[in-house]
Amino acid sequence: SEMYSPDTDADGLTDITEIIIGTSPLKPDSDSDSFTDGAELVSGHSPLQKSAALFSDVPAKYEFFDEILDLYKRGILSGYADHTFKPDNKITREEFVKIDLGVSCTACTGLNPVKKTEILAEYNKKGAFPDTDVNSDLLYCVAEAKNQGIVSGYEGEQNHGYFLPKNFISRAEAIKVIVETADLPLVESGIKGAPWYADYFLAAQKEGILPKGRFVEFDSFSSGQTSLLQAFLEGAITRGEFAYMASYVLNKFDCYKNDKDKDGIPDFL
């Protein structure tokens, strides 16, 4: 998904995208290697460093490459210091909320002091999580997610009210949040004793959020296969898998299209 703003240097990337990823909106070949910035990105190469991959472990032929690239160009996902993306790594709850907020064009990092104060004031008013191990870089993401009702504390006697930011998020939990972010109607499973996430899963399946041909558990769901599906959905989601789901929502409900004054800059910026 490309943003809706001018492409001053005609390199295949809009000016906003270039500002976000750090390339020059005035120079079509930022690293002077004879390839335009846009061409390098779609082929899996870094437009900022000669002869370097964008992510060394995510080639252009990787199954979720396009979706990862979508989120990278929006500043929603980034790689690690060693230039890897680690698509098979699991996602922690605190990492997850940053991505989900980014999909809905809600910034939660790089905020100015005034915005930080506003977020924390509401967070404390609503009842801040008692966790003390939230990554400082993601604190405002967790706080804003709580403010918006995207996440809540655990229920039950053990860890009651805690967010548990370092816990991995399951595919079922991720699907629930994605369905709610996209404001999709639930689809009743009609299965007696179905797990809490059944209706969310069916809504995601109906909408096409889940990648077809990737998981037989998704594609061949029926009442006779719930145990296989349940085990899969309750497992931790990977960065690559979630990139696919998040990119789908990003493209279908694209908040960058909201530009009432037609100045090439989305209204939320």
Side-chain angles (χ1 to χ4, degrees), residues 108-256:
C108 61
T109 57
L111 304 173
N112 63 52
V114 173
K115 186 61 177 178
K116 287 182 177 180
T117 299
E118 289 177 355
I119 290 175
L120 287 186
E122 185 176 357
Y123 181 48
N124 290 323
K125 182 179 180 180
K126 289 180 177 292
F129 293 123
D131 306 82
T132 58
D133 58 341
V134 176
N135 185 320
S136 58
D137 292 336
L138 298 173
L139 172 61
Y140 297 95
C141 299
V142 173
E144 182 63 17
K146 173 68 181 298
N147 293 347
Q148 293 190 21
I150 295 173
V151 295
S152 59
Y154 276 87
E155 298 180 359
E157 294 183 8
Q158 187 175 13
N159 300 314
H160 181 76
Y162 279 76
F163 177 62
L164 302 182
K166 310 302 181 189
N167 278 20
F168 295 125
I169 190 162
S170 71
R171 295 181 180 95
E173 291 172 316
I175 287 170
K176 176 181 182 292
V177 175
I178 283 290
V179 166
E180 291 179 339
T181 298
D183 197 25
L184 299 175
L186 297 184
V187 177
E188 293 186 13
S189 68
I191 300 172
K192 186 177 181 179
W196 63 265
Y197 48 77
D199 296 354
Y200 292 97
F201 162 74
L202 291 173
Q205 186 186 54
K206 180 180 180 181
E207 185 64 26
I209 291 175
L210 306 174
K212 290 186 177 180
R214 176 64 168 79
F215 307 114
V216 295
E217 295 90 345
F218 288 163
D219 298 336
S220 58
F221 173 76
S222 74
S223 59
Q225 298 168 315
T226 51
S227 60
L228 176 64
L229 179 65
Q230 187 169 340
F232 181 77
L233 287 175
E234 292 177 2
I237 195 169
T238 68
R239 282 165 60 85
E241 291 167 358
F242 187 60
Y244 181 96
M245 296 183 196
S247 177
Y248 179 93
V249 175
L250 182 73
N251 282 285
K252 180 134 186 168
F253 309 96
D254 193 349
C255 43
Y256 273 81

Side-chain angles (χ1 to χ4, degrees), residues 63 65 116:
E63 61 180 334
F65 174 78
K116 287 182 177 180

Side-chain angles (χ1 to χ4, degrees), residues 20-150:
I20 289 173
I21 68 175
T23 52
S24 172
L26 303 177
K27 185 179 178 182
D29 180 12
S30 294
D31 60 2
S32 302
D33 65 353
S34 301
F35 296 97
T36 64
D37 296 340
E40 290 202 82
L41 276 183
V42 297
S43 63
H45 294 90
S46 170
L48 295 168
Q49 186 177 354
K50 292 181 179 180
S51 303
L54 180 62
F55 303 118
S56 61
D57 54 353
V58 181
K61 62 183 180 181
Y62 178 69
E63 61 180 334
F64 298 141
F65 174 78
D66 291 342
E67 289 77 19
I68 291 171
L69 186 59
D70 266 355
L71 300 183
Y72 170 77
K73 290 192 295 184
R74 295 292 180 93
I76 297 171
L77 278 181
S78 59
Y80 293 91
D82 62 358
H83 302 292
T84 61
F85 180 77
K86 299 180 175 34
D88 296 324
N89 271 21
K90 300 169 184 176
I91 299 180
T92 63
R93 287 167 60 81
E94 62 185 358
E95 292 171 330
F96 174 84
V97 294
K98 176 183 182 294
I99 299 170
D100 188 70
L101 287 169
V103 168
S104 58
C105 295
T106 301
C108 61
T109 57
L111 304 173
N112 63 52
V114 173
K115 186 61 177 178
K116 287 182 177 180
T117 299
E118 289 177 355
I119 290 175
L120 287 186
E122 185 176 357
Y123 181 48
N124 290 323
K125 182 179 180 180
K126 289 180 177 292
F129 293 123
D131 306 82
T132 58
D133 58 341
V134 176
N135 185 320
S136 58
D137 292 336
L138 298 173
L139 172 61
Y140 297 95
C141 299
V142 173
E144 182 63 17
K146 173 68 181 298
N147 293 347
Q148 293 190 21
I150 295 173

